[in-house]
Amino acid sequence: AGSFNGAGYTISGMNVSTVSNEFVGLFGYVNSATATLSNIKIAGSISASYAISTTGYTYLYAGGLVGYIQSTAVKACSSSVNVSPTSANGVYAGGLAGYFTNSAYTGFIMSDCTASGTVAPTDTSTTYSYIGGLIGYAHGAAREYSVQNSTFTGSVTTTAKSPSSGGIFGYSTYVTYNNCWTSGAVNNNM
C-alpha cells in the first residue's frame, strides 16, 4: 500500500453521510506498516449510523481523517470535521481518528496533528464507547507508539451509556505522549 501526501491543500466541504459502513472518515480503513498519511487538511462533517455488523466488527469507527487505522504513520494532518456517529453497538470516535492501533512494528508515530471540530456521537448501547478529541481509542498492542506535538481545540460531547471520553484520547494504552495538549471542552451527558 502506498502513502498519501495532501501537500498542505485543504479538502473543504467534506460531507460523509452513511448508514451502512462501520469504518467512516476521509479514509474508512487504513492498514499498512509502510505507509504514511501526511500534510492532509480536511474540513466538513461526518454523520454516520450503524446498527448490525456483517463483517464481524460490532462497533462504529468514525474519525475526521480515518475511522480505523493500524500501523500507519500520520504526520502534519489537521481535521476541522464535525463527527456525529450513531450506533446501538458502541462507538469509537475522534476528531482525527476513531481507532488507532499498532501491531506491526516499533516506532509507529503520530506527530504534528491537530483537530478542532466537534465530536458528538450518540450511542444507545450498554457497551463502552471511546470518544476523544483527537483519537477515540489509541492502542499500542504489544508494540508501543508515540503521539507528539498534537492538539485538540474543539469540543467533545457524549451521551453514551458507559463512555470513556477525553480531550486528546477517549482511551489509550501502550502510548507515549510528548507535547500534546487540549483546550477543548469535554461534556459527558450520560
Side-chain angles (χ1 to χ4, degrees):
S3 295
F4 186 93
N5 187 330
Y9 290 100
T10 299
I11 299 169
S12 60
M14 180 181 81
N15 183 5
V16 178
S17 180
T18 180
V19 296
S20 60
N21 294 312
E22 65 261 46
F23 305 110
V24 184
L26 176 64
F27 302 99
Y29 184 96
V30 176
N31 181 358
S32 174
T34 60
T36 300
L37 301 179
S38 61
N39 302 306
I40 302 167
K41 297 180 181 180
I42 44 178
S45 64
I46 291 175
S47 176
S49 62
Y50 188 71
I52 300 171
S53 175
T54 58
T55 62
Y57 293 93
T58 57
Y59 292 96
L60 172 61
Y61 304 87
L65 178 65
V66 61
Y68 187 107
I69 186 167
Q70 181 171 330
S71 303
T72 304
V74 178
K75 298 180 179 179
C77 292
S78 67
S79 169
S80 295
V81 176
N82 296 323
V83 181
S84 304
T86 302
S87 176
N89 298 327
V91 174
Y92 291 86
L96 198 68
Y99 190 99
F100 249 67
T101 187
N102 178 37
S103 61
Y105 71 102
T106 302
F108 170 67
I109 189 170
M110 171 191 274
S111 64
D112 304 301
C113 293
T114 62
S116 60
T118 299
V119 184
T122 301
D123 177 19
T124 59
S125 77
T126 56
T127 60
Y128 281 91
S129 289
Y130 305 94
I131 316 303
L134 202 60
I135 301 170
Y137 190 103
H139 181 51
R143 301 177 186 270
E144 188 171 284
Y145 69 90
S146 67
V147 178
Q148 301 176 359
N149 307 318
S150 296
T151 63
F152 174 66
T153 57
S155 65
V156 171
T157 301
T158 179
T159 57
K161 299 286 185 180
S162 301
S164 183
S165 56
I168 297 291
F169 302 100
Y171 180 86
S172 68
T173 181
Y174 295 106
V175 179
T176 59
Y177 319 94
N178 294 301
N179 196 32
C180 295
W181 58 269
T182 179
S183 62
V186 179
N187 302 298
N188 188 340
N189 299 319
M190 287 187 6

